[in-house]
mmCIF file with all atom_site columns, all heavy atoms in Angstrom:
data_model
loop_
_atom_site.group_PDB
_atom_site.id
_atom_site.type_symbol
_atom_site.label_atom_id
_atom_site.label_alt_id
_atom_site.label_comp_id
_atom_site.label_asym_id
_atom_site.label_entity_id
_atom_site.label_seq_id
_atom_site.pdbx_PDB_ins_code
_atom_site.Cartn_x
_atom_site.Cartn_y
_atom_site.Cartn_z
_atom_site.occupancy
_atom_site.B_iso_or_equiv
_atom_site.pdbx_formal_charge
_atom_site.auth_seq_id
_atom_site.auth_comp_id
_atom_site.auth_asym_id
_atom_site.auth_atom_id
_atom_site.pdbx_PDB_model_num
ATOM 1   N N   . GLY O 1 25 ? -31.065 -28.256 47.072 1.00 0.00 ? 91  GLY O N   1
ATOM 2   C CA  . GLY O 1 25 ? -31.854 -27.097 46.679 1.00 0.00 ? 91  GLY O CA  1
ATOM 3   C C   . GLY O 1 25 ? -31.486 -26.604 45.301 1.00 0.00 ? 91  GLY O C   1
ATOM 4   O O   . GLY O 1 25 ? -30.411 -26.915 44.774 1.00 0.00 ? 91  GLY O O   1
ATOM 5   N N   . SER O 1 26 ? -32.404 -25.871 44.720 1.00 0.00 ? 92  SER O N   1
ATOM 6   C CA  . SER O 1 26 ? -32.159 -25.241 43.427 1.00 0.00 ? 92  SER O CA  1
ATOM 7   C C   . SER O 1 26 ? -32.958 -23.944 43.365 1.00 0.00 ? 92  SER O C   1
ATOM 8   O O   . SER O 1 26 ? -33.911 -23.749 44.120 1.00 0.00 ? 92  SER O O   1
ATOM 9   C CB  . SER O 1 26 ? -32.554 -26.168 42.266 1.00 0.00 ? 92  SER O CB  1
ATOM 10  O OG  . SER O 1 26 ? -33.932 -26.432 42.302 1.00 0.00 ? 92  SER O OG  1
ATOM 11  N N   . TYR O 1 27 ? -32.529 -23.063 42.468 1.00 0.00 ? 93  TYR O N   1
ATOM 12  C CA  . TYR O 1 27 ? -33.180 -21.755 42.343 1.00 0.00 ? 93  TYR O CA  1
ATOM 13  C C   . TYR O 1 27 ? -32.954 -21.249 40.935 1.00 0.00 ? 93  TYR O C   1
ATOM 14  O O   . TYR O 1 27 ? -31.845 -21.332 40.401 1.00 0.00 ? 93  TYR O O   1
ATOM 15  C CB  . TYR O 1 27 ? -32.576 -20.795 43.365 1.00 0.00 ? 93  TYR O CB  1
ATOM 16  C CG  . TYR O 1 27 ? -33.073 -19.374 43.302 1.00 0.00 ? 93  TYR O CG  1
ATOM 17  C CD1 . TYR O 1 27 ? -34.420 -19.074 43.432 1.00 0.00 ? 93  TYR O CD1 1
ATOM 18  C CD2 . TYR O 1 27 ? -32.182 -18.324 43.138 1.00 0.00 ? 93  TYR O CD2 1
ATOM 19  C CE1 . TYR O 1 27 ? -34.873 -17.767 43.402 1.00 0.00 ? 93  TYR O CE1 1
ATOM 20  C CE2 . TYR O 1 27 ? -32.624 -17.009 43.109 1.00 0.00 ? 93  TYR O CE2 1
ATOM 21  C CZ  . TYR O 1 27 ? -33.964 -16.741 43.244 1.00 0.00 ? 93  TYR O CZ  1
ATOM 22  O OH  . TYR O 1 27 ? -34.401 -15.438 43.209 1.00 0.00 ? 93  TYR O OH  1
ATOM 23  N N   . ARG O 1 28 ? -33.999 -20.729 40.344 1.00 0.00 ? 94  ARG O N   1
ATOM 24  C CA  . ARG O 1 28 ? -33.887 -20.078 39.036 1.00 0.00 ? 94  ARG O CA  1
ATOM 25  C C   . ARG O 1 28 ? -33.865 -18.581 39.302 1.00 0.00 ? 94  ARG O C   1
ATOM 26  O O   . ARG O 1 28 ? -34.904 -17.978 39.579 1.00 0.00 ? 94  ARG O O   1
ATOM 27  C CB  . ARG O 1 28 ? -35.053 -20.475 38.139 1.00 0.00 ? 94  ARG O CB  1
ATOM 28  C CG  . ARG O 1 28 ? -34.858 -20.016 36.714 1.00 0.00 ? 94  ARG O CG  1
ATOM 29  C CD  . ARG O 1 28 ? -35.920 -20.604 35.807 1.00 0.00 ? 94  ARG O CD  1
ATOM 30  N NE  . ARG O 1 28 ? -35.669 -20.226 34.449 1.00 0.00 ? 94  ARG O NE  1
ATOM 31  C CZ  . ARG O 1 28 ? -35.742 -21.042 33.433 1.00 0.00 ? 94  ARG O CZ  1
ATOM 32  N NH1 . ARG O 1 28 ? -36.082 -22.304 33.616 1.00 0.00 ? 94  ARG O NH1 1
ATOM 33  N NH2 . ARG O 1 28 ? -35.506 -20.618 32.205 1.00 0.00 ? 94  ARG O NH2 1
ATOM 34  N N   . ALA O 1 29 ? -32.684 -18.014 39.250 1.00 0.00 ? 95  ALA O N   1
ATOM 35  C CA  . ALA O 1 29 ? -32.484 -16.610 39.604 1.00 0.00 ? 95  ALA O CA  1
ATOM 36  C C   . ALA O 1 29 ? -32.747 -15.708 38.399 1.00 0.00 ? 95  ALA O C   1
ATOM 37  O O   . ALA O 1 29 ? -32.149 -15.911 37.345 1.00 0.00 ? 95  ALA O O   1
ATOM 38  C CB  . ALA O 1 29 ? -31.063 -16.395 40.105 1.00 0.00 ? 95  ALA O CB  1
ATOM 39  N N   . PRO O 1 30 ? -33.608 -14.707 38.556 1.00 0.00 ? 96  PRO O N   1
ATOM 40  C CA  . PRO O 1 30 ? -33.903 -13.819 37.434 1.00 0.00 ? 96  PRO O CA  1
ATOM 41  C C   . PRO O 1 30 ? -32.809 -12.786 37.160 1.00 0.00 ? 96  PRO O C   1
ATOM 42  O O   . PRO O 1 30 ? -32.831 -12.132 36.119 1.00 0.00 ? 96  PRO O O   1
ATOM 43  C CB  . PRO O 1 30 ? -35.205 -13.136 37.855 1.00 0.00 ? 96  PRO O CB  1
ATOM 44  C CG  . PRO O 1 30 ? -35.216 -13.201 39.343 1.00 0.00 ? 96  PRO O CG  1
ATOM 45  C CD  . PRO O 1 30 ? -34.466 -14.450 39.707 1.00 0.00 ? 96  PRO O CD  1
ATOM 46  N N   . THR O 1 31 ? -31.847 -12.651 38.080 1.00 0.00 ? 97  THR O N   1
ATOM 47  C CA  . THR O 1 31 ? -30.749 -11.696 37.878 1.00 0.00 ? 97  THR O CA  1
ATOM 48  C C   . THR O 1 31 ? -29.448 -12.292 38.402 1.00 0.00 ? 97  THR O C   1
ATOM 49  O O   . THR O 1 31 ? -29.456 -13.205 39.236 1.00 0.00 ? 97  THR O O   1
ATOM 50  C CB  . THR O 1 31 ? -30.998 -10.366 38.623 1.00 0.00 ? 97  THR O CB  1
ATOM 51  O OG1 . THR O 1 31 ? -30.977 -10.626 40.035 1.00 0.00 ? 97  THR O OG1 1
ATOM 52  C CG2 . THR O 1 31 ? -32.315 -9.721  38.220 1.00 0.00 ? 97  THR O CG2 1
ATOM 53  N N   . LEU O 1 32 ? -28.347 -11.736 37.960 1.00 0.00 ? 98  LEU O N   1
ATOM 54  C CA  . LEU O 1 32 ? -27.033 -12.144 38.445 1.00 0.00 ? 98  LEU O CA  1
ATOM 55  C C   . LEU O 1 32 ? -26.909 -11.872 39.942 1.00 0.00 ? 98  LEU O C   1
ATOM 56  O O   . LEU O 1 32 ? -26.408 -12.712 40.694 1.00 0.00 ? 98  LEU O O   1
ATOM 57  C CB  . LEU O 1 32 ? -25.939 -11.411 37.667 1.00 0.00 ? 98  LEU O CB  1
ATOM 58  C CG  . LEU O 1 32 ? -24.503 -11.668 38.096 1.00 0.00 ? 98  LEU O CG  1
ATOM 59  C CD1 . LEU O 1 32 ? -24.149 -13.144 37.971 1.00 0.00 ? 98  LEU O CD1 1
ATOM 60  C CD2 . LEU O 1 32 ? -23.547 -10.829 37.267 1.00 0.00 ? 98  LEU O CD2 1
ATOM 61  N N   . ALA O 1 33 ? -27.377 -10.726 40.387 1.00 0.00 ? 99  ALA O N   1
ATOM 62  C CA  . ALA O 1 33 ? -27.291 -10.383 41.812 1.00 0.00 ? 99  ALA O CA  1
ATOM 63  C C   . ALA O 1 33 ? -28.038 -11.402 42.673 1.00 0.00 ? 99  ALA O C   1
ATOM 64  O O   . ALA O 1 33 ? -27.545 -11.816 43.723 1.00 0.00 ? 99  ALA O O   1
ATOM 65  C CB  . ALA O 1 33 ? -27.836 -8.978  42.057 1.00 0.00 ? 99  ALA O CB  1
ATOM 66  N N   . LEU O 1 34 ? -29.210 -11.838 42.223 1.00 0.00 ? 100 LEU O N   1
ATOM 67  C CA  . LEU O 1 34 ? -29.972 -12.823 42.991 1.00 0.00 ? 100 LEU O CA  1
ATOM 68  C C   . LEU O 1 34 ? -29.315 -14.202 42.949 1.00 0.00 ? 100 LEU O C   1
ATOM 69  O O   . LEU O 1 34 ? -29.376 -14.951 43.927 1.00 0.00 ? 100 LEU O O   1
ATOM 70  C CB  . LEU O 1 34 ? -31.414 -12.895 42.507 1.00 0.00 ? 100 LEU O CB  1
ATOM 71  C CG  . LEU O 1 34 ? -32.287 -11.720 42.949 1.00 0.00 ? 100 LEU O CG  1
ATOM 72  C CD1 . LEU O 1 34 ? -33.661 -11.794 42.282 1.00 0.00 ? 100 LEU O CD1 1
ATOM 73  C CD2 . LEU O 1 34 ? -32.421 -11.668 44.455 1.00 0.00 ? 100 LEU O CD2 1
ATOM 74  N N   . ALA O 1 35 ? -28.678 -14.542 41.850 1.00 0.00 ? 101 ALA O N   1
ATOM 75  C CA  . ALA O 1 35 ? -27.948 -15.810 41.783 1.00 0.00 ? 101 ALA O CA  1
ATOM 76  C C   . ALA O 1 35 ? -26.816 -15.817 42.808 1.00 0.00 ? 101 ALA O C   1
ATOM 77  O O   . ALA O 1 35 ? -26.641 -16.791 43.556 1.00 0.00 ? 101 ALA O O   1
ATOM 78  C CB  . ALA O 1 35 ? -27.400 -16.048 40.380 1.00 0.00 ? 101 ALA O CB  1
ATOM 79  N N   . LEU O 1 36 ? -26.057 -14.730 42.872 1.00 0.00 ? 102 LEU O N   1
ATOM 80  C CA  . LEU O 1 36 ? -24.966 -14.638 43.844 1.00 0.00 ? 102 LEU O CA  1
ATOM 81  C C   . LEU O 1 36 ? -25.498 -14.633 45.267 1.00 0.00 ? 102 LEU O C   1
ATOM 82  O O   . LEU O 1 36 ? -24.942 -15.288 46.148 1.00 0.00 ? 102 LEU O O   1
ATOM 83  C CB  . LEU O 1 36 ? -24.134 -13.379 43.581 1.00 0.00 ? 102 LEU O CB  1
ATOM 84  C CG  . LEU O 1 36 ? -23.334 -13.401 42.283 1.00 0.00 ? 102 LEU O CG  1
ATOM 85  C CD1 . LEU O 1 36 ? -22.776 -12.023 41.989 1.00 0.00 ? 102 LEU O CD1 1
ATOM 86  C CD2 . LEU O 1 36 ? -22.240 -14.436 42.354 1.00 0.00 ? 102 LEU O CD2 1
ATOM 87  N N   . TRP O 1 37 ? -26.577 -13.908 45.510 1.00 0.00 ? 103 TRP O N   1
ATOM 88  C CA  . TRP O 1 37 ? -27.182 -13.879 46.847 1.00 0.00 ? 103 TRP O CA  1
ATOM 89  C C   . TRP O 1 37 ? -27.591 -15.290 47.265 1.00 0.00 ? 103 TRP O C   1
ATOM 90  O O   . TRP O 1 37 ? -27.313 -15.713 48.384 1.00 0.00 ? 103 TRP O O   1
ATOM 91  C CB  . TRP O 1 37 ? -28.392 -12.943 46.864 1.00 0.00 ? 103 TRP O CB  1
ATOM 92  C CG  . TRP O 1 37 ? -29.166 -13.081 48.139 1.00 0.00 ? 103 TRP O CG  1
ATOM 93  C CD1 . TRP O 1 37 ? -28.912 -12.468 49.327 1.00 0.00 ? 103 TRP O CD1 1
ATOM 94  C CD2 . TRP O 1 37 ? -30.298 -13.929 48.349 1.00 0.00 ? 103 TRP O CD2 1
ATOM 95  N NE1 . TRP O 1 37 ? -29.826 -12.888 50.270 1.00 0.00 ? 103 TRP O NE1 1
ATOM 96  C CE2 . TRP O 1 37 ? -30.692 -13.792 49.695 1.00 0.00 ? 103 TRP O CE2 1
ATOM 97  C CE3 . TRP O 1 37 ? -31.023 -14.804 47.541 1.00 0.00 ? 103 TRP O CE3 1
ATOM 98  C CZ2 . TRP O 1 37 ? -31.771 -14.482 50.235 1.00 0.00 ? 103 TRP O CZ2 1
ATOM 99  C CZ3 . TRP O 1 37 ? -32.092 -15.486 48.081 1.00 0.00 ? 103 TRP O CZ3 1
ATOM 100 C CH2 . TRP O 1 37 ? -32.458 -15.314 49.418 1.00 0.00 ? 103 TRP O CH2 1
ATOM 101 N N   . TRP O 1 38 ? -28.267 -16.028 46.350 1.00 0.00 ? 104 TRP O N   1
ATOM 102 C CA  . TRP O 1 38 ? -28.743 -17.366 46.686 1.00 0.00 ? 104 TRP O CA  1
ATOM 103 C C   . TRP O 1 38 ? -27.582 -18.304 46.993 1.00 0.00 ? 104 TRP O C   1
ATOM 104 O O   . TRP O 1 38 ? -27.642 -19.080 47.947 1.00 0.00 ? 104 TRP O O   1
ATOM 105 C CB  . TRP O 1 38 ? -29.603 -17.930 45.549 1.00 0.00 ? 104 TRP O CB  1
ATOM 106 C CG  . TRP O 1 38 ? -30.282 -19.200 45.929 1.00 0.00 ? 104 TRP O CG  1
ATOM 107 C CD1 . TRP O 1 38 ? -31.463 -19.340 46.593 1.00 0.00 ? 104 TRP O CD1 1
ATOM 108 C CD2 . TRP O 1 38 ? -29.819 -20.539 45.683 1.00 0.00 ? 104 TRP O CD2 1
ATOM 109 N NE1 . TRP O 1 38 ? -31.760 -20.672 46.768 1.00 0.00 ? 104 TRP O NE1 1
ATOM 110 C CE2 . TRP O 1 38 ? -30.775 -21.431 46.223 1.00 0.00 ? 104 TRP O CE2 1
ATOM 111 C CE3 . TRP O 1 38 ? -28.699 -21.062 45.056 1.00 0.00 ? 104 TRP O CE3 1
ATOM 112 C CZ2 . TRP O 1 38 ? -30.634 -22.817 46.156 1.00 0.00 ? 104 TRP O CZ2 1
ATOM 113 C CZ3 . TRP O 1 38 ? -28.553 -22.439 44.995 1.00 0.00 ? 104 TRP O CZ3 1
ATOM 114 C CH2 . TRP O 1 38 ? -29.512 -23.309 45.537 1.00 0.00 ? 104 TRP O CH2 1
ATOM 115 N N   . MET O 1 39 ? -26.523 -18.225 46.197 1.00 0.00 ? 105 MET O N   1
ATOM 116 C CA  . MET O 1 39 ? -25.370 -19.094 46.438 1.00 0.00 ? 105 MET O CA  1
ATOM 117 C C   . MET O 1 39 ? -24.730 -18.788 47.792 1.00 0.00 ? 105 MET O C   1
ATOM 118 O O   . MET O 1 39 ? -24.385 -19.700 48.542 1.00 0.00 ? 105 MET O O   1
ATOM 119 C CB  . MET O 1 39 ? -24.353 -18.958 45.301 1.00 0.00 ? 105 MET O CB  1
ATOM 120 C CG  . MET O 1 39 ? -24.866 -19.557 43.999 1.00 0.00 ? 105 MET O CG  1
ATOM 121 S SD  . MET O 1 39 ? -23.718 -19.334 42.636 1.00 0.00 ? 105 MET O SD  1
ATOM 122 C CE  . MET O 1 39 ? -22.451 -20.518 43.076 1.00 0.00 ? 105 MET O CE  1
ATOM 123 N N   . ARG O 1 40 ? -24.579 -17.503 48.125 1.00 0.00 ? 106 ARG O N   1
ATOM 124 C CA  . ARG O 1 40 ? -24.034 -17.151 49.444 1.00 0.00 ? 106 ARG O CA  1
ATOM 125 C C   . ARG O 1 40 ? -24.959 -17.610 50.561 1.00 0.00 ? 106 ARG O C   1
ATOM 126 O O   . ARG O 1 40 ? -24.514 -18.145 51.580 1.00 0.00 ? 106 ARG O O   1
ATOM 127 C CB  . ARG O 1 40 ? -23.822 -15.633 49.549 1.00 0.00 ? 106 ARG O CB  1
ATOM 128 C CG  . ARG O 1 40 ? -22.567 -15.128 48.895 1.00 0.00 ? 106 ARG O CG  1
ATOM 129 C CD  . ARG O 1 40 ? -22.300 -13.682 49.248 1.00 0.00 ? 106 ARG O CD  1
ATOM 130 N NE  . ARG O 1 40 ? -23.427 -12.813 48.972 1.00 0.00 ? 106 ARG O NE  1
ATOM 131 C CZ  . ARG O 1 40 ? -23.647 -12.172 47.827 1.00 0.00 ? 106 ARG O CZ  1
ATOM 132 N NH1 . ARG O 1 40 ? -22.790 -12.317 46.830 1.00 0.00 ? 106 ARG O NH1 1
ATOM 133 N NH2 . ARG O 1 40 ? -24.689 -11.402 47.668 1.00 0.00 ? 106 ARG O NH2 1
ATOM 134 N N   . ASP O 1 41 ? -26.265 -17.419 50.372 1.00 0.00 ? 107 ASP O N   1
ATOM 135 C CA  . ASP O 1 41 ? -27.240 -17.823 51.379 1.00 0.00 ? 107 ASP O CA  1
ATOM 136 C C   . ASP O 1 41 ? -27.190 -19.332 51.608 1.00 0.00 ? 107 ASP O C   1
ATOM 137 O O   . ASP O 1 41 ? -27.212 -19.797 52.748 1.00 0.00 ? 107 ASP O O   1
ATOM 138 C CB  . ASP O 1 41 ? -28.639 -17.393 50.950 1.00 0.00 ? 107 ASP O CB  1
ATOM 139 C CG  . ASP O 1 41 ? -29.691 -17.780 51.968 1.00 0.00 ? 107 ASP O CG  1
ATOM 140 O OD1 . ASP O 1 41 ? -29.703 -17.174 53.065 1.00 0.00 ? 107 ASP O OD1 1
ATOM 141 O OD2 . ASP O 1 41 ? -30.490 -18.697 51.680 1.00 0.00 ? 107 ASP O OD2 1
ATOM 142 N N   . ARG O 1 42 ? -27.116 -20.122 50.551 1.00 0.00 ? 108 ARG O N   1
ATOM 143 C CA  . ARG O 1 42 ? -27.065 -21.577 50.685 1.00 0.00 ? 108 ARG O CA  1
ATOM 144 C C   . ARG O 1 42 ? -25.744 -22.026 51.305 1.00 0.00 ? 108 ARG O C   1
ATOM 145 O O   . ARG O 1 42 ? -25.718 -22.982 52.082 1.00 0.00 ? 108 ARG O O   1
ATOM 146 C CB  . ARG O 1 42 ? -27.268 -22.268 49.333 1.00 0.00 ? 108 ARG O CB  1
ATOM 147 C CG  . ARG O 1 42 ? -28.664 -22.096 48.751 1.00 0.00 ? 108 ARG O CG  1
ATOM 148 C CD  . ARG O 1 42 ? -29.756 -22.753 49.572 1.00 0.00 ? 108 ARG O CD  1
ATOM 149 N NE  . ARG O 1 42 ? -30.213 -21.883 50.651 1.00 0.00 ? 108 ARG O NE  1
ATOM 150 C CZ  . ARG O 1 42 ? -31.009 -22.251 51.651 1.00 0.00 ? 108 ARG O CZ  1
ATOM 151 N NH1 . ARG O 1 42 ? -31.442 -23.469 51.749 1.00 0.00 ? 108 ARG O NH1 1
ATOM 152 N NH2 . ARG O 1 42 ? -31.359 -21.399 52.584 1.00 0.00 ? 108 ARG O NH2 1
#
Side-chain angles (χ1 to χ4, degrees):
S92 63
Y93 176 58
R94 190 171 184 136
T97 66
L98 177 60
L100 285 173
L102 292 169
W103 170 84
W104 189 85
M105 290 177 73
R106 280 190 306 270
D107 180 70
R108 293 295 85 191

